[in-house]
């Protein structure tokens, strides 16, 4: 049983609670106010299922109750600081947060799928040499609400299509913000949250070994993408400083805990990790795990001093993987004209300075 008074004293941030916690929190608050318990069934859906921008808009509730909710549980909103639409339909949203920090999310349409690439931190501490977010450094963790509200804000905007899939491939390393990401996964997935199927939610990580175990323990079939980028410790160390803390071999061992098929992300960088013999080494790692390999062209925004692989080298790399029985897909860049590919996100906003809104600024 929940201690009512205790819950009533807790956080005002309903959007960072799992739906079950939010229900208990609202129920406790209603009880303290002497309101009928059935009101919880009107209030809870306003968080995620039929979201409102502010309690005032929940017009099925009596006005005094709406005012009470507004005092007790303000619903923070992001400010859309910039919005760009690429020629290929990719949309980039730059959101200003309450404290003046900013994050990006990217909506990528692909057939009937609309994948929203969301951020889990402002910046990232891990400094992979090819990554634009890494160059920003770490600024802060996002709350569970700030992670899930990247979807919520789109639902609140009539102009934006609803995402069908979510990938944690925006700014930040999700497994270094586990407590918030853990709750956000629940919010994204549960029917009384955003109701997105676990198979439509992908967490991307460089492999924070202890937290891979925590993710593996979740019963839902969330998809896992591991940003590998290198099949040997030497190559990985030169690209990803995290190799010093969590070595490639430990990451691969940790993947044995997952019952589901893992995807390896591999950004092809000319002369660094795209040599044919490295494709063979990668196949040796991927084949026993049955892992799928996503080969990604290097996005030029991440590292001006690195070159993307030539078309011929990329094709040969993919061919060698396939020859060894590994499913490999050579991806193309999306949203290039607006620097909006996943992993490309770097806030071009001066801290605490607001950029004028550029609604639908089409980049031609
Ligand atoms: N920190 C997590 C999730 C965010 S990065 C991770 O690294 O997995 C999301 C993806 O974008 C990762 O696979 C990352 O390696 C990739 N990425 C980063 N910089 C890139 C670049 N310049 N070009 C292409 N992909 C890049
Ligand atoms: Fe961080 Fe991922 Fe970028 Fe590496 S690739 S710096 S882990 S966001």
């Amino acid at each position: 049983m929940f201690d009512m008074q205790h819950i009533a004293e807790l956080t005002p941030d309903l959007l960072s609670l799992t739906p079950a916690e939010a229900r208990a929190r609202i129920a406790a608050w209603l009880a303290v106010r002497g309101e009928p318990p059935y009101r919880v069934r009107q209030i809870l859906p306003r968080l995620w299922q039929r979201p409102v921008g502010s309690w005032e808009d929940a017009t099925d509730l009596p006005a005094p109750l709406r005012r009470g909710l507004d005092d007790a549980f303000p619903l923070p909103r992001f400010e859309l600081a910039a919005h760009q639409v690429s020629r290929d339909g990719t949309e980039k949203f730059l959101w200003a947060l309450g404290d003046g920090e900013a994050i990006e999310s990217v909506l990528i349409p692909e057939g009937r799928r609309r994948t929203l690439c969301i951020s889990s931190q402002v910046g990232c501490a891990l400094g992979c040499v090819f990554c634009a977010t890494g160059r920003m450094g770490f600024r802060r963790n996002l709350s569970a609400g700030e992670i899930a509200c990247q979807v919520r804000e789109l639902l609140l905007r009539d102009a934006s299509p609803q995402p069908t899939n979510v990938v944690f491939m925006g700014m930040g390393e999700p497994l270094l913000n586990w407590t918030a990401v853990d709750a956000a996964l629940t919010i994204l997935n549960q029917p009384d949250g955003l109701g997105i199927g676990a198979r439509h939610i992908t967490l991307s990580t460089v492999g924070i070994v202890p937290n891979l175990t925590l993710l593996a323990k979740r019963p839902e079939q969330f998809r896992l993408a591991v940003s590998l980028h290198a099949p040997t410790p030497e190559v990985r160390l030169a690209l990803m400083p995290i190799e010093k803390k969590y070595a490639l071999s430990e990451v691969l061992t940790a993947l044995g805990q997952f019952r589901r098929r893992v995807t390896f992300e591999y950004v092809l960088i000319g002369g660094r990790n795209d040599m044919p013999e490295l494709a063979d080494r990668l196949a040796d790692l991927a084949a026993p795990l049955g892992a799928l390999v996503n080969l990604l062209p290097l996005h030029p925004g991440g590292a001006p001093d690195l070159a993307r692989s030539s078309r011929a080298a990329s094709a040969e790399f993919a061919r060698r993987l396939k020859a060894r029985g590994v499913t490999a897909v050579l991806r193309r860049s999306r949203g290039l004209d607006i620097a909006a590919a996943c992993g490309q996100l770097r806030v071009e906003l001066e801290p605490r300075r607001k950029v004028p809104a550029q609604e639908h600024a089409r980049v031609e």
Side-chain angles (χ1 to χ4, degrees):
M1 267 312 285
F2 294 103
D3 171 346
M4 296 263 204
Q5 195 58 48
H6 178 61
I7 288 179
E9 283 161 6
L10 293 175
T11 171
D13 183 11
L14 287 185
L15 296 170
S16 283
L17 301 180
T18 64
E21 290 166 347
R23 178 183 285 112
R25 180 84 177 82
I26 296 163
W29 179 82
L30 288 169
V32 170
R33 281 176 61 100
E35 297 274 356
Y38 69 82
R39 292 283 186 208
V40 76
R41 292 198 300 275
Q42 290 174 295
I43 296 170
L44 189 68
R46 297 315 205 155
L47 297 180
W48 305 107
Q49 291 164 295
R50 289 182 292 118
V52 283
S54 76
W55 291 113
E56 205 181 312
D57 300 338
T59 47
D60 53 335
L61 298 173
L65 184 57
R66 280 185 266 154
R67 280 195 296 274
L69 283 164
D70 203 38
D71 288 340
F73 308 113
L75 296 174
R77 295 290 308 274
F78 299 158
E79 189 191 325
L80 187 61
H83 178 210
Q84 293 177 296
V85 184
S86 158
R87 270 170 296 200
D88 67 12
T90 302
E91 290 182 52
K92 180 162 85 166
F93 300 86
L94 175 61
W95 302 114
L97 309 179
D99 64 352
E101 294 288 1
I103 49 165
E104 293 187 338
S105 349
V106 177
L107 188 68
I108 306 160
E110 204 161 26
R112 282 159 62 183
R113 217 187 286 173
R114 287 177 307 276
T115 301
L116 186 70
C117 177
I118 61 171
S119 298
S120 56
Q121 299 180 315
V122 186
C124 180
L126 298 186
C128 302
V129 300
F130 46 80
C131 175
T133 307
R135 286 223 309 279
M136 277 177 71
F138 174 72
R139 299 188 60 92
R140 73 166 169 88
N141 277 329
L142 296 183
S143 65
E146 287 171 326
I147 296 169
C149 280
Q150 294 168 65
V151 180
R152 190 177 195 270
E153 286 291 343
L154 295 195
L155 304 185
L156 289 170
R157 289 167 49 86
D158 292 338
S160 296
Q162 208 174 313
T164 58
N165 294 58
V166 170
V167 294
F168 284 78
M169 292 189 187
M171 296 167 65
E173 169 47 56
L175 291 189
L176 285 181
N177 184 14
W178 174 249
T179 310
V181 166
D182 190 28
L185 287 169
T186 304
I187 296 168
L188 290 168
N189 175 239
Q190 296 261 297
D192 48 7
L194 289 162
I196 302 170
R199 289 184 175 80
H200 294 167
I201 300 172
T202 303
L203 187 142
S204 176
T205 177
V206 294
I208 306 300
V209 170
N211 294 351
L212 278 172
T213 305
L214 300 178
L215 178 64
K217 283 195 178 132
R218 291 209 46 154
E220 306 91 337
Q221 297 287 303
F222 297 119
R223 289 190 189 273
L224 174 65
V226 175
S227 295
L228 210 65
H229 310 311
T232 68
E234 299 74 33
V235 176
R236 189 165 181 258
L237 183 62
L239 300 174
M240 303 168 72
I242 193 69
E243 170 68 16
K244 280 179 256 167
K245 181 133 193 209
Y246 299 115
L248 179 62
S249 57
E250 288 177 63
V251 174
L252 293 168
T253 306
L255 297 183
Q257 303 169 89
F258 288 83
R259 281 169 294 132
R260 30 214 140 129
R261 187 168 147 132
V262 171
T263 300
F264 286 157
E265 305 286 312
Y266 198 102
V267 175
L268 287 165
I269 308 173
R272 302 291 294 269
N273 67 355
D274 68 342
M275 291 74 104
E277 60 275 18
L278 293 181
D280 298 343
R281 301 296 299 274
L282 179 59
D284 294 341
L285 307 182
L289 287 166
L292 175 119
V293 177
N294 259 336
L295 297 171
L296 309 157
L298 176 73
H299 195 292
D305 45 338
L306 296 175
R308 53 166 62 189
S309 289
S310 69
R311 206 177 273 258
S314 307
E316 173 61 8
F317 202 92
R319 193 196 63 75
R320 289 180 91 109
L321 288 171
K322 289 179 193 158
R324 292 180 169 231
V326 174
T327 311
V329 185
L330 204 51
R331 302 276 174 195
R332 61 205 162 92
S333 280
R334 295 296 305 267
L336 261 186
D337 51 349
I338 58 170
C342 277
Q344 259 328 285
L345 307 183
R346 177 194 174 89
V347 169
E348 290 142 15
L349 187 70
E350 289 293 309
R352 298 181 201 291
R353 203 197 80 216
K354 303 233 165 90
V355 155
Q358 302 165 13
E359 282 287 312
H360 289 273
R362 233 168 228 285
V363 181
E364 306 279 78

